[in-house]
Every structure is written in structure tokens, then in C-alpha cells.
Amino acid sequence: MNQSIFNKKNLLLLGFIVLLIAPLFLTDFRLNLLGKYLAFAILVIGLDLLWGYTGVLSLGHGIFFGIGAYAMGMYLKLEASGTTKLPDFMAWSGVQELPFIWVPFQNPILAIILGIFIPLMIALLLGLLTFRNRINGVYFTILSQALVVVVVTLFVGQQGLTGGTNGLTSFNTIFGFSLASTTTQTVIYLITAAVLAIVYFASKVLINGRLGQVLIGIRDGENRLRFLGYDPAIFKTFIYALSAGIAGLAGMLFVLQVGIISPTMMGIIPSIEMVLWVALGGRGTLIGPVIGAILVNWAKTSFSESYPDIWLYFLGLMFVIVVVFLPDGLMGLFKKFQKRWSGLHDKQPDSARVEKNYS
């Protein structure tokens, strides 16, 4: 019975129950923060599929996250502006009529679809161009960073289309419901938690299947897998596109929690932070990156509130400790603890085991 306390399924179930009942004991502000953390957690599941299981390190996932957020932000901005008015920043920039790029985002369902589809297609195209030409390792990582620079520069420069450095903000309603309403925010939070659970378990099914074995084979020995008759480029392109689509979905949920999206949120620094969340939680575990994203962002909030002048030092120290003492992340520490607990349980005296069996 003691051994079952640390069963992974039990802990997952307990964690999900805690997330579901969080609105009962958290203030509106704290619930909003937790919802933002859960959006980040959805993002890192996709990143873990790419890096943790397939071995492809991307430092450009911020753009996929940002494009999804902009897709939702465009719909919210149009709804706030009404059917007859242009968004305020367009009027300030001298735009006379709604740009054709914005027209599809008048429909909320189409905006949600595009928020996933556009990042997915960008990643699919980039994957076909790079993985087919066997651009791997650090070269792909550098290329993903270069893509971030290009996209962020484009978004900043197009003031009339994207809002420039200010981005999109001043959202009032979604589907006609007020975003300032406590009920609306609670529903958005619960949807975010449900999406996190769906993405996690769907990814778990994918990893436990044959595809997951192929991805791990690419990570551990790509050439060996190629000699067995598999084409790693196809699988890497697929998982890269899937990861980008998940990032776009997370971005849409993020903007509903935060109420703003700007190019700074899709730059190189946020992309690097996303990778750190995966590393801290434990890459190649799915649940580890989720814990890492929630824990790191909670720590950022807590440290910045308690120690506004030196909170970055605390955050840096936390990363150093994890890298030096926990190379496998928090999940590596959990597995060691679980193994030690199981060892202590297995070392019970024979008399104790017999007594337990007959009790």
C-alpha cells in the first residue's frame, strides 16, 4: 500500500483534481496566473516531443506560440472594435480599410483553426527544407533562431498590420461574453486545464506506440534507423509540425489569460526559456516539462513579488542547481526517490511480509 502512494498514475490523477478545484480556493488574480502557467505547460509538451523524444532542439518555438496568440488576438481585437470600425492602431497608422489578412479572423472558429494550422504549416515547410537536406543538430538550432529574428522583425515593422512593438491588447469580449467577468475567466481556465489533459494523454498514447519507438530511435541513433529502412526526415518533419501546432494552441489559450500579445513574447529569450522549462522538469518524460513550466513560472512570480530587486539571481541560482546536481531534471530526482522507496519496501523482514499478506 505504501508503494502505491508514489504511483505515477495516482499522482497524475491527484494533480489534475487539484487543477480542477483550484477555482474554489484561488483568487481571480492567482487563478489567472495559474491559467497562464497551464498554457505554457501545453506548449512544452509539444517541445518535449520534439527535443526530449526525437532529439531535435528548437530555439524558435516562440514564433509558433506567438502566431497562435496573434491569431486569437486578431479575433478578439476585431470583436472589440465592432463590425464597422477598424482596430485603433490601424486608424493611428492611417489604414483605411481592413487588410485582407485580417478578414478570416472575423470568424472565431476560423481564427482558432488558423491559430493551429499556420504554425503547423510553417514548421512543415521548414522541416521539409531542412530535414530532407539532413540539416541537423546545432545547425538546425541556429536556423530556428534565425527564423525567430526574421519573424519578430517582420511583426515589429508592420505597424499597420500587427500593432508593431505594442502588439495587440484592449480585448473586451469573447463570443459576446465579457473577459472581465469572473465566470468567463473561470471557464477559460477550466478549458485550458482540459486541453492540457487532452494534449498530455494524446501525446502519451503517441509515445507509447510504434511511432514513439521510432522517435526515440532517431534520438539515440538516427543512422541505425535509416539502415533499417526508415526515413528519419519524414518523422522529424511530422513531429516538428505537430509540436508547432501544439505551440499555436497554447498561444491562443495564453492570450485569453493575459490579454495581450506583442513581438517580445515570441523572441529568442522566451524561446530559450521554454527549452529551460523542459530541461528543468526532465526531458523525455512529458510530465516533467509540465511540472518544470509551472514551477519555473510560479518561482518567477514569487521571487519578483518578494524580492523585486534581486529575483533574477534567485532564478539563475535555481537553474544552476538543476543543471549541476539534477542533470535529468526533477523527474530524475523523483525516479531516484521512487526507486529508493521501493527498495526500502522490498527490504522488509520476512515476518513483516507474512503478517502483511495475512492481514
Side-chain angles (χ1 to χ4, degrees), residues 171-312:
F171 310 133
N172 300 322
T173 59
I174 178 171
F175 300 114
F177 297 97
S178 173
L179 282 171
S181 169
T182 299
T183 303
T184 303
Q185 285 300 316
T186 301
V187 171
I188 291 173
Y189 167 81
L190 292 175
I191 291 174
T192 305
V195 170
L196 173 61
I198 293 170
V199 171
Y200 173 82
F201 286 111
S203 299
K204 197 71 176 176
V205 170
L206 183 149
I207 291 301
N208 289 337
R210 187 173 180 179
L211 177 59
Q213 296 177 350
V214 174
L215 297 180
I216 294 173
I218 294 173
R219 181 193 66 189
D220 296 340
E222 183 175 338
N223 288 331
R224 292 182 181 180
L225 200 70
R226 187 177 287 109
F227 293 148
L228 291 174
Y230 292 91
D231 185 358
I234 295 176
F235 294 97
K236 288 197 289 186
T237 301
F238 167 76
I239 209 67
Y240 186 41
L242 177 62
S243 177
I246 294 174
L249 175 61
M252 288 190 287
L253 293 168
F254 168 84
V255 82
L256 292 175
Q257 310 283 348
V258 178
I260 184 174
I261 179 64
S262 69
T264 57
M265 298 178 186
M266 54 195 299
I268 292 178
I269 293 178
S271 297
I272 293 175
E273 284 185 343
M274 295 167 188
V275 172
L276 290 176
W277 301 339
V278 177
L280 187 141
R283 69 189 186 104
T285 61
L286 286 184
I287 189 60
V290 171
I291 296 173
I294 295 174
L295 181 62
V296 171
N297 284 283
W298 170 81
K300 283 176 67 174
T301 302
S302 300
F303 290 156
S304 61
E305 288 177 347
S306 303
Y307 309 98
D309 296 328
I310 58 173
W311 70 275
L312 283 174

Side-chain angles (χ1 to χ4, degrees), residues 6-294:
F6 297 101
N7 184 281
K8 192 174 180 180
K9 291 182 179 179
N10 291 344
L11 293 176
L12 281 173
L13 180 60
L14 178 62
F16 187 62
I17 291 173
V18 170
L19 292 179
L20 287 180
I21 64 175
L24 300 177
F25 56 86
L26 289 180
T27 64
D28 293 344
F29 174 71
R30 296 297 173 186
L31 186 67
N32 188 257
L33 284 177
L34 181 57
K36 182 178 75 170
Y37 304 160
L38 296 187
F40 288 144
I42 295 170
L43 163 73
V44 293
I45 290 176
L47 189 55
D48 192 38
L49 290 175
L50 180 66
W51 183 37
Y53 286 95
T54 316
V56 178
L57 176 59
S58 169
L59 292 181
H61 257 53
I63 61 171
F64 305 130
F65 179 79
I67 289 173
Y70 264 94
M72 178 56 69
M74 289 164 75
Y75 158 68
L76 295 175
K77 193 67 178 176
L78 289 172
E79 185 170 326
S81 302
T83 57
T84 58
K85 295 182 180 180
L86 291 175
D88 48 13
F89 68 88
M90 289 187 183
W92 301 335
S93 301
V95 177
Q96 299 298 322
E97 60 181 21
L98 189 68
F100 73 94
I101 296 177
W102 278 70
V103 173
F105 296 94
Q106 293 176 317
N107 185 304
I109 304 301
L110 192 55
I112 293 172
I113 294 173
L114 290 175
I116 300 174
F117 182 74
I118 294 175
L120 189 149
M121 291 306 298
I122 292 175
L124 183 64
L125 178 61
L126 183 63
L128 289 173
L129 293 174
T130 55
F131 299 133
R132 281 290 184 185
N133 293 303
R134 299 192 182 183
I135 299 175
N136 300 310
V138 66
Y139 301 104
F140 176 81
T141 303
I142 294 173
L143 186 62
S144 67
Q145 280 194 317
L147 182 64
V148 172
V149 175
V150 171
V151 173
V152 170
T153 303
L154 179 64
F155 271 67
V156 170
Q158 296 297 318
Q159 173 72 38
L161 287 176
T162 64
T165 55
N166 296 324
L168 305 179
T169 186
S170 301
F171 310 133
N172 300 322
T173 59
I174 178 171
F175 300 114
F177 297 97
S178 173
L179 282 171
S181 169
T182 299
T183 303
T184 303
Q185 285 300 316
T186 301
V187 171
I188 291 173
Y189 167 81
L190 292 175
I191 291 174
T192 305
V195 170
L196 173 61
I198 293 170
V199 171
Y200 173 82
F201 286 111
S203 299
K204 197 71 176 176
V205 170
L206 183 149
I207 291 301
N208 289 337
R210 187 173 180 179
L211 177 59
Q213 296 177 350
V214 174
L215 297 180
I216 294 173
I218 294 173
R219 181 193 66 189
D220 296 340
E222 183 175 338
N223 288 331
R224 292 182 181 180
L225 200 70
R226 187 177 287 109
F227 293 148
L228 291 174
Y230 292 91
D231 185 358
I234 295 176
F235 294 97
K236 288 197 289 186
T237 301
F238 167 76
I239 209 67
Y240 186 41
L242 177 62
S243 177
I246 294 174
L249 175 61
M252 288 190 287
L253 293 168
F254 168 84
V255 82
L256 292 175
Q257 310 283 348
V258 178
I260 184 174
I261 179 64
S262 69
T264 57
M265 298 178 186
M266 54 195 299
I268 292 178
I269 293 178
S271 297
I272 293 175
E273 284 185 343
M274 295 167 188
V275 172
L276 290 176
W277 301 339
V278 177
L280 187 141
R283 69 189 186 104
T285 61
L286 286 184
I287 189 60
V290 171
I291 296 173
I294 295 174

